[in-house]
Amino acid sequence: MEYTIELNKKQFESIENILKEELIDLGVQTVLLIDLAGNILVNLDDGKSDIDIYSLAALAAGNFGAVSAMAKVIGESDFSLLFHKGEKESIHFSKINEDLLLLTIFGKDVSLGFLRLKTAEAMRKILEII
Amino acid sequence: MALINPKKKEVQVKIVYYGPGRGGKTTNLEYINKKFKERIKGEMTTVKTYGDRTLFFDFLPVDIGKIKGYDIKVQFYTVPGQVKYNATRKLVLRGVDGIVFVADSLVVRRKMNILSLQNLNENLSSFNRRIFDVPIVLQYNKRDMEKEGIPLLSVETLENDLNKQLKAPSFVASALTGQNVVTTMKKAISLTVASLQKKLELGG
Ligand SMILES: Nc1nc2c(ncn2[C@@H]2O[C@H](COP(=O)(O)OP(=O)(O)OP(=O)(O)O)[C@@H](O)[C@H]2O)c(=O)[nH]1
Ligand SMILES: [Mg+2]
């Protein structure tokens, strides 16, 4: 069953704070919290970023949906995590729950291992709020 | 479904152009993109296969201004119309708030229109939604081809085939010349936003 994510102002604020403390302060360039319909719940960046986040969210949701469908085809229930590595920037996705994805864009100065740790921590805290 | 952000006072609404392959969905968005260039911040994003067929979707975000103090951001999508792409079509339909069904007026496309509408119904059901509960507008596209002597379905036939039960607003149009493209879009937006009004009054 599909549902609308309904969060109040305070929940939005708390989630922004978590993402800022865990990820932006770590040196991540952009953090997007999106739903699988492609809507953006939260977007934060380091102030230096100038990307088209709406298109990115639409593509990310579609991409994640496609990968989940692929998982089902091969008999996995899901792939909970995706990573695309680029020359300068990389994108990391993780699935928070049935409807939400956390997407981070980061450069070479952030280590993937540390990012994963911090992402997991942020996700745990967000799940306590929603 | 629409995402309401009371903190930013922003609403994101998803309107999907649905319909048979080659019916003119992408052409509708291309026209809107050109016409409202100044209101569109991002680029139109398209995921296409060889030729100009849509493989996954087209995406176009448009800011339409404020309603009840909320910034309304409409996200237009098209689905791939080709029958074989149903898995991706379903993904695009996820969380839809409003639909424009673009039917092809060519006589030879009659069956494809009907099948595509049935497919829409089935795909909505897979999300436990009913076609009657989603704001929808029908567009009978390619009317300009009449001039070239190409046989078109009459509006009565199209209404009878597609709109007998839905009783949705419908428009004849030409995505190529732009006839009624904006009218169709505006109707879809107003129906969709009206369905959210109650929520906006309560929330915030
Ligand atoms: N004459 C005429 N041609 C049109 C019209 N609308 C679309 N076409 C043409 O029909 C072809 C298919 O149009 P598209 O907009 O790509 O169709 P689509 O519905 O996006 O097709 P898929 O992506 O395969 O689902 C293109 O060559 C368009 O130029 C119209 O109103 N009149
Ligand atoms: Mg197309």
Side-chain angles (χ1 to χ4, degrees), chain A residues 1-2 4 6-7 9 12-13 16 36-37 39-41 43 52 54-55 58-59 62 65-66 98-99, chain B residues 1-3 5-8 10 12 14 42-43 45 56-57 59 73 75 77 91 94-95 127-128 199:
Chain A
M1 176 70 195
E2 206 172 1
T4 318
E6 284 187 50
L7 300 176
K9 215 165 163 171
F12 273 104
E13 263 158 24
E16 279 183 15
L36 282 178
N39 296 310
I40 298 175
L41 282 86
N43 68 294
D52 178 359
Y54 287 95
S55 296
L59 289 164
E98 274 314 297
D99 225 66
Chain B
M1 269 161 252
L3 182 87
N5 187 331
K7 180 162 179 281
K8 286 211 274 179
E10 179 189 279
Q12 292 166 56
K14 180 172 189 173
E43 292 285 308
T45 300
F56 204 151
F57 59 79
F59 170 75
K73 289 181 180 293
Q75 331 261 30
Y77 287 77
L91 291 177
R94 189 180 176 123
F127 293 117
N128 286 326
K199 277 211 140 147

Side-chain angles (χ1 to χ4, degrees), chain B residues 18-21 81-83 86 89 101-104 108-123 131 161-162:
Chain B
Y18 208 94
Q82 292 179 81
V83 175
N86 198 46
R89 201 157 39 239
F101 184 85
V102 180
D104 195 325
V108 291
R109 310 294 286 167
R110 185 173 179 190
K111 185 94 186 282
M112 294 313 287
N113 291 330
I114 296 170
L115 289 177
S116 176
L117 191 65
Q118 276 170 8
N119 171 259
L120 169 62
N121 196 12
E122 283 160 22
N123 282 342
I131 196 166
D161 282 354
L162 308 171

Side-chain angles (χ1 to χ4, degrees), chain B residues 21-27 53-54 81 141-142 144-145 174-176:
Chain B
R22 289 216 176 284
K25 300 175 294 293
T26 297
T27 312
R53 310 302 301 272
T54 304
N141 191 31
K142 302 196 186 174
D144 61 288
M145 294 184 100
S174 165
L176 204 63

